[in-house]
Amino acid sequence: MADDIILGIDLGTTNSACAVWEDDKARIIPNAHGDLLTPSVVAVDDDGSMLVGKAAKQRLVTHPKSTVAYFKRFMGVDHKVQIGRRKQFSATELSAMVLRSLKADAEADLGHPIKHAVISVPAYFNDAQRQATRDAGELAGLTVNRLINEPTAAALAHGLNEEQEQRFIILDLGGGTFDVSILEYYDNVLEVHATAGDSALGGEDFNDNLIRAFLEEIGVDEVSLGMEIRQRLYSRVETVKRQVGKNKSALLSFDIDGKTHEWTIDEKAFIDATSKLLMRIRSPMERALRDAGLDPSAIDDVVLVGGATRMSVFRSMVSKLFGRIPRTDTDPDLTVVMGAALQGALVARNESLEDVVLTDVCSFSMGIASVTDTDPRKMTEVFAPIIERNNVVPVSRVEQFWTVQNDQTAIDVRIYQGESRKPRNNLFLGNLHIPVPKGTAGKESISVRFSYDVNGLLEVEVTVDSTGRTYTKLIENRPGHLNDKEKAASLKRLDGLKVLPRDREEVRALTARAERLYSSMLGAERDQLGRAMDDFER
Ligand code: ADP
Ligand code: MG
């Protein structure tokens, strides 16, 4: 039985969490510190051990160079992050370390090994980013049974609490991403009508804008700040941002080079400082409504997910747009992981959930590059979508294409995903070289079939219509995707790292917190804390 358990994981930009399905409900598993959220932060400490989660996050301020956060933004791209002086990691490897830590917490809690997981990803993750997430799971020793879109997971957790049939929009504003989904729940079917999002917009951007406004207010040049001061300011602003939401206004007081600067942030100042971001929040909502063919008034419920939806300016903007107060009865931080655990139970065919059916949509268009005209002077290359975004998955579609030149001997099928008319502005996924019999232009044709499955994996099948020969390709040469050799090398590297044992993490997090406080204190307070730290370490 234990072997069948599928861990539900929310691998967030800022925070991650894991949960299991027990007694017909999701139970969130606490980490070594007893917290339900584990910061998605990785650090190398002074003796070369890797730290993950709370202990690593505490070091962001005191050791910014040997700590990394927000690496989810680099998933699926060829980019290595430097930590400390020597170590370099890809976002996939860093995510694998977070997953390993969650897995260890779950195993300690449940008392047996865990092999399977369902991991949530932003709806707007493209193919490369999805594959990187799967790779991370594998590097953590987990078989990833399913990837689930975060808003879909949230809807799943939310929808099952609902008695009535209804249509709702899920708004998930996390640390670095904004996801919007419109869903309908009826007769135990949860149907996704549309998804949209902005993969580079989240609560952290609000911090950045507030910092910029503060520095402008006090007349300090941003580039003159050292990394440590910046990080310290960042965590101050994080606190103040939360206070504004709660008390409508807060005082940001901050020391730079011995001088105290103060700025009172009320809601108006908050809106002024972040107006560009607030404007960007509108467009994914409007696009999702348009794609679903719905007016805001057709939405029965607005569900908020993700820590940054706690901002009062966000809430009032959403209330205005939809003409109703958003729902907040599900915990915005934990809804996604609960949905992932539920999906895990669905995959494992847990009997209590037999009746729930889930349909999902693909969040981007996929197609090939094609030419508009047979006249070489007028020929321009355009992107011809075969599967359009927001189709229900699994989906399979076929389109025909013809030769454009006399005596053409082959057609190069180049596969892209994205929404731009220009192929080169979209993400290139791979190509197929299809030999065709010679003839006059327009005589030979190929049928290109795209099949897209629930995990977001694309299969392309091309048939030469005159001969019936078929060519298939499972898209594999994704940027950032690891081949077997790279996977083995990565695994060896990760296995070779020293990781702090779970039971010592608590102590380490405490020391790191003390160090952080120490760096922000002065005078007698500082001396006192210093002495306490010396005692503690002895
Ligand atoms: P992710 O899904 O990206 O991991 P979360 O859903 O955990 O992110 O949200 C993290 C973001 O939520 C951070 O940017 C944090 O500043 C913000 N946040 C958390 N609590 C609050 C709050 N009370 N008020 C405003 N922002 C908050
Ligand atoms: Mg999230």
Side-chain angles (χ1 to χ4, degrees):
M1 235 354 255
D3 255 10
D4 304 344
I5 284 204
I6 299 181
L7 192 63
I9 296 177
D10 172 4
L11 185 59
T13 312
T14 325
N15 297 300
S16 296
C18 65
V20 282
W21 192 254
E22 274 174 3
D23 304 327
D24 290 348
K25 54 180 184 290
R27 181 171 67 84
I28 323 287
I29 296 178
N31 62 23
H33 312 280
D35 301 333
L36 300 182
L37 294 180
T38 296
S40 308
V41 184
V42 173
V44 191
D45 78 359
D46 310 329
D47 65 10
S49 301
M50 303 304 301
L51 302 172
V52 177
K54 195 176 188 173
K57 188 182 171 184
Q58 300 285 6
R59 290 174 63 94
L60 258 182
V61 176
T62 47
H63 303 78
K65 288 200 178 110
S66 57
T67 311
V68 17
Y70 317 122
F71 40 82
K72 185 171 168 182
R73 286 181 166 180
F74 301 118
M75 283 300 259
V77 294
D78 236 345
H79 174 86
K80 293 257 194 239
V81 189
Q82 174 103 17
I83 319 186
R85 236 170 300 150
R86 270 189 304 267
K87 294 193 167 68
Q88 278 202 345
F89 296 102
S90 66
T92 308
E93 291 172 324
L94 294 166
S95 302
M97 287 184 229
V98 173
L99 291 172
R100 281 178 176 215
S101 151
L102 296 172
K103 179 174 180 271
D105 287 330
E107 289 175 344
D109 179 283
L110 295 165
H112 59 73
I114 291 181
K115 299 201 185 77
H116 299 273
V118 166
I119 303 179
S120 62
V121 290
Y124 233 64
F125 255 21
N126 64 31
D127 208 58
Q129 293 164 309
R130 281 165 201 265
Q131 190 56 53
T133 307
R134 285 187 155 261
D135 288 344
E138 222 173 289
L139 292 179
L142 290 164
T143 302
V144 181
N145 296 64
R146 186 71 64 89
L147 297 176
I148 181 172
N149 286 340
E150 285 163 12
T152 307
L156 204 52
H158 177 84
L160 291 181
N161 294 328
E162 291 304 316
E163 298 296 318
Q164 294 166 345
E165 307 184 348
Q166 63 160 354
R167 230 184 252 140
F168 46 99
I169 188 163
I170 308 256
L171 306 175
D172 181 350
L173 188 63
T177 52
F178 180 44
D179 274 285
V180 178
S181 279
I182 296 174
L183 303 103
E184 191 162 359
Y185 184 57
Y186 56 90
D187 296 339
N188 269 350
V189 174
L190 186 59
E191 189 177 333
V192 183
H193 285 307
T195 71
D198 187 330
S199 58
L201 175 66
E204 307 309 324
D205 302 294
F206 282 81
N207 293 9
D208 284 338
N209 280 18
L210 288 170
I211 287 176
R212 213 167 302 143
F214 171 65
L215 293 175
E216 212 166 278
E217 181 77 20
I218 63 169
V220 171
D221 189 2
E222 192 165 0
V223 286
S224 71
L225 298 183
M227 200 159 172
E228 194 186 316
I229 295 191
R230 230 200 107 83
Q231 285 290 358
R232 201 149 51 77
L233 181 55
Y234 202 91
S235 48
R236 277 293 300 146
V237 164
E238 172 71 32
T239 312
V240 167
K241 177 177 75 173
R242 294 178 186 216
Q243 285 166 350
V244 178
K246 226 186 284 163
N247 311 326
K248 304 275 179 222
S249 139
L251 179 72
L252 174 57
S253 158
F254 192 73
D255 294 345
I256 299 172
D257 300 331
K259 184 158 182 267
T260 306
H261 301 273
E262 290 190 337
W263 182 36
T264 304
I265 313 179
D266 56 12
E267 281 196 333
K268 180 169 181 310
F270 194 101
I271 291 171
D272 287 346
T274 61
S275 60
K276 284 212 181 91
L277 300 174
L278 292 169
M279 255 151 63
R280 272 170 66 195
I281 278 174
R282 286 185 88 92
S283 80
M285 292 193 273
E286 284 162 357
R287 201 173 72 187
L289 285 165
R290 211 166 43 236
D291 281 0
L294 294 172
D295 271 347
S297 61
I299 302 290
D300 297 313
D301 253 333
V302 180
V303 180
L304 301 187
V305 180
T309 60
R310 291 207 174 94
M311 291 187 294
S312 56
V313 294
F314 178 86
R315 291 194 174 184
S316 44
M317 195 177 126
V318 167
S319 306
K320 248 182 249 150
L321 186 67
F322 290 94
R324 78 203 55 217
I325 309 264
R327 289 276 296 268
T328 48
D329 46 347
T330 42
D331 183 335
D333 292 322
L334 301 174
T335 319
V336 169
V337 72
M338 284 161 71
L342 204 160
Q343 174 69 77
L346 283 176
V347 172
R349 291 191 198 292
N350 186 311
E351 275 174 53
S352 62
L353 290 166
E354 224 166 24
D355 299 337
V356 185
V357 180
L358 172 71
T359 65
D360 208 339
V361 292
C362 60
S363 22
F364 30 72
S365 304
M366 283 161 289
I368 69 171
S370 122
V371 285
T372 49
D373 210 291
T374 48
D375 179 347
R377 279 162 307 171
K378 288 196 221 141
M379 225 181 246
T380 47
E381 213 181 37
V382 293
F383 175 59
I386 294 178
I387 294 178
E388 300 216 84
R389 74 161 187 268
N390 286 328
N391 257 298
V392 172
V393 287
V395 54
S396 188
R397 287 274 149 77
V398 65
E399 290 279 344
Q400 226 176 3
F401 297 88
W402 285 267
T403 49
V404 288
Q405 278 161 2
N406 290 332
D407 293 333
Q408 188 175 339
T409 55
I411 299 177
D412 186 30
V413 176
R414 277 174 296 129
I415 304 151
Y416 292 88
Q417 79 176 34
E419 310 307 324
S420 172
R421 196 171 139 78
K422 294 202 178 92
R424 69 183 143 85
N425 293 343
N426 294 321
L427 180 74
F428 177 66
L429 295 178
N431 69 327
L432 273 164
H433 185 78
I434 312 292
V436 290
K438 267 195 198 175
T440 47
K443 180 170 171 279
E444 286 297 322
S445 65
I446 54 171
S447 294
V448 182
R449 175 175 290 281
F450 273 29
S451 305
Y452 193 67
D453 74 8
V454 286
N455 291 309
L457 298 176
L458 176 67
E459 195 186 80
V460 179
E461 187 186 272
V462 182
T463 308
V464 180
D465 296 322
S466 63
T467 64
R469 250 199 97 167
T470 54
Y471 302 80
T472 57
K473 176 161 195 144
L474 196 70
I475 299 305
E476 268 169 355
N477 64 339
R478 309 171 179 92
H481 175 44
L482 304 178
N483 61 32
D484 285 348
K485 213 171 124 200
E486 289 162 333
K487 224 173 265 174
S490 241
L491 254 179
K492 206 170 141 202
R493 245 155 71 74
L494 293 183
D495 286 341
L497 294 172
K498 272 193 290 178
V499 180
L500 211 62
R502 277 183 91 251
D503 52 3
R504 282 189 45 214
E505 259 193 25
E506 181 83 56
V507 174
R508 194 61 67 97
L510 213 64
T511 343
R513 183 173 148 77
E515 271 179 42
R516 180 169 67 81
L517 283 173
Y518 185 86
S519 75
S520 68
M521 284 174 173
L522 288 173
E525 249 182 354
R526 185 173 208 169
D527 291 342
Q528 198 182 359
L529 179 64
R531 277 194 303 276
M533 282 160 73
D534 291 344
D535 284 347
F536 184 70
E537 274 159 23
R538 243 183 264 132

